[in-house]
Amino acid sequence: MHYLSHADLGGQSGFGPIVPQPQGEVFHAAWEARVFALTLAMGATGSWNLDMARSARETLPNYLELSYYEIWLGGLERLLSASGLVGPDELAAGQALRPAAPIPRVLAAEQVPSLLARGSPAARPPPGPARFALGQRVRARSLEAPYHTRLPGYLRGRIGVIERVHGAHVFADSHARGLGEDPQWLYTVVFDSRDLWEAAAGPGHCVSFDAWQPYLENP
Amino acid sequence: MEHDDEHGPHSDLSDIERRVRALETLLTEKGYIDPAALDVLIDTYQTKVGPRNGARVVARAWIDAEFRERLLRDATSAVAELEYSGRQGEHIVAVENTADRHNLVVCTLCSCYPWPLLGVPPVWYKSAPYRSRAVRDPRGVLAEFGVTLPASTQIHVWDSTAEVRYLVIPRRPPGTEAWGEEALAALVTRDSMIGTGLARSTAGV
């Protein structure tokens, strides 16, 4: 049951200055572009879903020391091993030692434009009536989830207001664990920064996040 | 052996380049990928999909009040009118900057970003300094980008935690009342659509 995400960074300090990047720079090395494309192409095989991929990346033990595409590469290698498509021995050897495992599909070059244009919409028919309404005060639960979740630590236990109701979406927490899509109502909840940070720097602001219904409770 | 490696056929490759090359070879051998599909994916995000798409949306919203209204009501449908849709832009919300309110987008948990409109995100957007501080100290973050807003301007930080992707509509620069869509789009920067910048002023054109 042990699960440790290294990606929940909101509100932390000590990471130094932001390094700007001119518009128009996309990849900084040829290998980054290949990792990007390998990840998308393997994702398109249907061997895992995007939430499983996020989970594989955020739990890399050295996440904070890695560059972005190093994280993607590490995540992809983990997903390949976990799904049985490539053995750790094959990754280490850099060559195939066994025949291929069956996969749902292979992405062909001519399918790329339609695949990207279609995307993967997350909206689903709602499982029932929405529990919360526009303008209602809600509290983000203080969940200690031992699995992939999209409820940031800095918002847990804090009270905000429902600002938008998006309909029901595939629930990341279930989807990442292979428990199906488990659609849940999705809301945008807005918080006053003075309710989030004890000593907010300068004048107040507000912060919102997108919350599936299981993240919220009555205050 | 190390000496031999340095002068081998791939002597100029770093460890990570070797690792990526080996993985691509392995996945190709197994028949899981079509290397030609990788080239199309890379070319798409290097040359076709990028912030010029979002800039066109913003410029259209500046000159066409009805489009602006549709964009604010249902951005996914509105940008589809310009044939922008799909991966990492399946559910889009557009948020408009005004004299009183400035919007800033972040993904504290990873790197969620509206790909069909802005392309793939810049490194800083995906990195710890921005992700950690944007929600706590947006004014300090904006200052690092050279942006100072009046103290009376309310800042709304949008943390993209689900599959909703946010596009900031920056304020239209003064003095552009007579400008056409294309000229206006040239004023709309990537950063202005994330909220870490403003649209270029006419003085810079």
Side-chain angles (χ1 to χ4, degrees):
Chain A
M1 285 303 277
H2 185 68
Y3 187 97
L4 184 58
S5 169
H6 302 281
D8 186 7
L9 300 180
Q12 293 193 32
S13 52
F15 291 113
I18 295 161
V19 181
Q21 177 182 332
Q23 189 168 326
E25 283 182 28
V26 179
F27 301 109
H28 296 88
W31 71 266
E32 291 190 352
R34 297 317 280 183
V35 169
F36 170 79
L38 284 169
T39 300
L40 266 60
M42 283 310 302
T45 66
S47 305
W48 50 78
N49 63 51
L50 184 54
D51 295 303
M52 292 171 180
R54 290 194 181 115
S55 179
R57 290 177 203 143
E58 73 185 12
T59 50
L60 287 168
N62 51 346
Y63 178 93
L64 287 171
E65 294 149 30
L66 300 175
S67 75
Y68 187 69
Y69 286 110
E70 286 173 340
I71 293 171
W72 275 39
L73 176 59
L76 178 58
E77 289 174 342
R78 280 182 146 197
L79 291 162
L80 288 164
S81 294
S83 59
L85 296 186
V86 175
D89 52 345
E90 294 177 305
L91 285 174
Q95 61 180 58
L97 303 173
R98 278 177 298 282
I103 53 170
R105 66 191 86 87
V106 175
L107 177 66
E110 62 271 18
Q111 296 170 321
V112 170
S114 62
L115 172 93
L116 296 177
R118 200 165 55 242
S120 306
R124 296 290 181 273
R131 182 177 166 195
F132 305 108
L134 216 57
Q136 191 171 342
R137 271 160 49 90
V138 289
R139 189 200 318 269
R141 287 175 184 262
S142 297
L143 292 172
E144 282 303 326
Y147 45 77
H148 175 77
T149 182
R150 304 289 292 178
L151 171 55
Y154 74 94
L155 294 171
R156 295 184 193 182
R158 308 297 177 161
I159 292 174
V161 174
I162 303 278
E163 173 155 307
R164 263 177 200 258
V165 184
H166 294 281
H169 279 215
V170 174
F171 185 34
D173 300 40
S174 298
H175 208 215
R177 285 183 286 163
L179 301 178
E181 294 191 335
D182 188 20
Q184 300 287 343
W185 282 93
L186 183 74
Y187 309 88
T188 297
V189 184
V190 63
F191 301 81
D192 189 313
S193 67
R194 289 164 295 192
D195 294 331
L196 298 180
W197 317 113
E198 277 160 27
H205 58 277
C206 62
V207 177
S208 62
F209 86 127
D210 294 324
W212 285 272
Q213 190 162 285
Y215 293 174
L216 305 174
E217 62 189 3
N218 286 314
Chain B
M1 282 311 285
E2 214 170 83
H3 184 80
D4 285 346
D5 280 347
E6 281 172 19
H7 296 278
H10 301 308
S11 61
D12 53 339
L13 295 185
S14 66
D15 287 350
I16 191 113
E17 286 168 328
R18 266 183 251 272
R19 191 169 142 211
V20 174
R21 189 171 285 205
L23 182 61
E24 183 173 337
T25 305
L26 178 54
L27 297 178
T28 308
E29 269 180 52
K30 292 260 194 188
Y32 298 153
I33 56 164
D34 169 8
L38 306 190
D39 297 333
V40 178
L41 284 163
I42 293 166
D43 181 61
T44 301
Y45 290 100
Q46 245 169 358
T47 66
K48 297 190 173 73
V49 179
R52 286 176 55 184
N53 294 2
R56 199 172 146 225
V57 171
V58 170
R60 175 70 56 90
W62 283 346
I63 59 170
D64 180 341
E66 286 176 11
F67 178 77
R68 172 184 163 273
E69 219 166 274
R70 290 199 297 281
L71 186 65
L72 291 173
R73 196 173 55 237
D74 178 358
T76 315
S77 304
V79 304
E81 294 173 29
L82 304 181
E83 293 182 353
Y84 303 138
S85 68
R87 192 183 172 93
Q88 288 302 304
E90 293 91 346
H91 309 282
I92 300 175
V93 168
V95 291
E96 186 181 45
N97 289 347
T98 65
D100 304 323
R101 173 177 264 225
H102 182 87
N103 297 284
L104 180 72
V105 182
V106 65
C107 171
T108 61
L109 298 174
C110 52
S111 54
C112 297
Y113 194 72
W115 287 15
L117 300 177
L118 301 185
V120 294
V123 173
W124 57 260
Y125 184 86
K126 309 178 281 198
S127 302
Y130 181 72
R131 285 164 51 191
S132 59
R133 278 193 281 127
V135 288
R136 187 182 189 116
D137 180 20
R139 280 181 191 274
V141 165
L142 287 174
E144 280 187 61
F145 284 90
V147 175
T148 310
L149 300 172
S152 59
T153 303
Q154 169 83 2
I155 300 177
H156 187 147
V157 184
W158 302 81
D159 191 352
S160 322
T161 46
E163 296 302 334
V164 179
R165 300 289 171 265
Y166 292 92
L167 175 75
V168 176
I169 307 173
R171 297 180 69 196
R172 182 173 177 167
T176 59
E177 291 74 12
W179 290 36
E181 187 176 315
E182 209 170 308
L184 286 169
L187 300 177
V188 183
T189 62
R190 173 196 68 201
D191 291 3
S192 74
M193 294 180 280
I194 304 172
T196 53
L198 309 176
R200 287 192 188 105
S201 72
T202 54
V205 177

